[in-house]
Amino acid sequence: GQQVMQIPQYQHVQEGEDFTTYCNSSTTLSNIQWYKQRPGGHPVFLIQLVKSGEVKKQKRLTFQFGEAKKNSSLHITATQTTDVGTYFCAGRTSGTYKYIFGTGTRLKVLA
Amino acid sequence: GAGVSQSPSNKVTEKGKDVELRCDPISGHTALYWYRQSLGQGLEFLIYFQGNSAPDKSGLPSDRFSAERTGGSVSTLTIQRTQQEDSAVYLCASSLVSGTSNQPQHFGDGTRLSIL
């Protein structure tokens, strides 16, 4: 079945450093969504990518969708303590409304 | 309410008992998802409802798990003869559905289920 892996599993950075998490699917995706879950909270939608090679930016966050639509990345520039949380990608394949969530990357920012 | 509402927020029960978890989606959202999240883990897809279509039950881990959605709105997830490995946070999400279904999912706060 479809699998979505994320690396790294954990990342500790000093405040101000950059951070990147990578998402890899075993199958070609129709679209991919990114979510952030703060400790003790529920996942909150960040962004969606649909087109091959698409790049989207939200302030310090940059999201990319691979040319083959099987991988994606989230890059945070100059991390802040408010960036702490777990970042999940969620991919959907064509013909289904089901999203498979990645394993998540837990980010800790040290002040 | 404005968001997805789940109840109860916490449930502690003895092994072997049945439990029922409730999800009230955002008004107008026709898609509804159930996920399970074990401590420190990712989200495991359980079941998906869309309008009057047959639900996608491919993620239900065993026949002890079932879910229904009445009137296209409120959904209940039932776990029969609970086991300790069923302990987890059960999250519900709803979304609008377009022709491509590329809509964000809005999550509830979850039900934390603990099996003693």
Side-chain angles (χ1 to χ4, degrees):
Chain A
Q2 181 191 359
Q3 290 185 324
V4 180
M5 303 297 293
Q6 276 183 259
I7 55 170
Q9 187 175 5
Y10 299 97
Q11 185 84 60
H12 294 181
V13 299
Q14 287 291 140
E15 190 173 21
E17 291 182 339
D18 293 355
F19 159 76
T20 304
T21 173
Y22 300 91
C23 178
N24 295 289
S25 170
S26 58
T27 56
T28 301
L29 300 172
S30 178
N31 64 295
I32 194 162
Q33 299 178 341
W34 283 90
Y35 291 81
K36 176 183 178 181
Q37 185 175 28
R38 293 182 184 273
H42 59 260
V44 175
F45 176 79
L46 294 176
I47 209 160
Q48 173 167 262
L49 304 168
V50 179
K51 298 177 183 176
S52 170
E54 189 170 15
V55 178
K56 286 189 176 181
K57 292 191 175 184
Q58 281 182 353
K59 298 182 180 178
R60 295 178 295 104
L61 278 60
T62 301
F63 304 83
Q64 291 189 327
F65 202 7
E67 294 290 341
K69 300 184 74 174
K70 293 182 73 172
N71 55 70
S72 180
S73 66
L74 158 59
H75 179 83
I76 302 178
T77 304
T79 54
Q80 299 175 359
T81 54
T82 53
D83 296 326
V84 164
T86 302
Y87 293 85
F88 292 100
C89 61
R92 182 180 70 86
T93 54
S94 177
T96 176
Y97 293 105
K98 181 170 76 177
Y99 281 85
I100 300 300
F101 275 73
T103 45
T105 296
R106 190 170 177 180
L107 173 65
K108 192 167 186 175
V109 180
L110 307 172
Chain B
V4 176
S5 177
Q6 290 188 247
S7 62
S9 54
N10 284 283
K11 177 73 175 179
V12 181
T13 192
E14 293 179 344
K15 176 183 170 181
K17 300 284 189 185
D18 296 353
V19 295
E20 194 171 274
L21 313 179
R22 176 188 168 107
C23 173
D24 203 338
I26 292 173
S27 178
H29 281 194
T30 56
L32 188 147
Y33 301 79
W34 282 99
Y35 296 92
R36 178 169 70 176
Q37 186 172 33
S38 299
L39 186 62
Q41 301 298 311
L43 278 71
E44 176 189 3
F45 168 82
L46 296 177
I47 190 168
Y48 165 80
F49 294 92
Q50 164 48 31
N52 295 321
S53 302
D56 181 341
K57 304 179 182 181
S58 59
L60 294 178
S62 77
D63 58 8
R64 295 187 296 105
F65 288 73
S66 63
E68 62 177 23
R69 189 177 184 191
T70 53
S73 181
V74 172
S75 177
T76 54
L77 176 68
T78 302
I79 309 173
Q80 295 178 310
R81 305 181 302 282
T82 51
Q83 303 294 313
Q84 287 187 331
E85 60 262 28
D86 298 335
S87 296
V89 175
Y90 288 81
L91 289 162
C92 175
S94 72
S95 73
L96 293 168
V97 175
S98 67
T100 58
S101 84
N102 293 342
Q103 295 292 333
Q105 297 174 60
H106 299 264
F107 284 83
D109 289 332
T111 293
R112 183 175 299 276
L113 177 63
S114 300
I115 309 299
L116 303 178

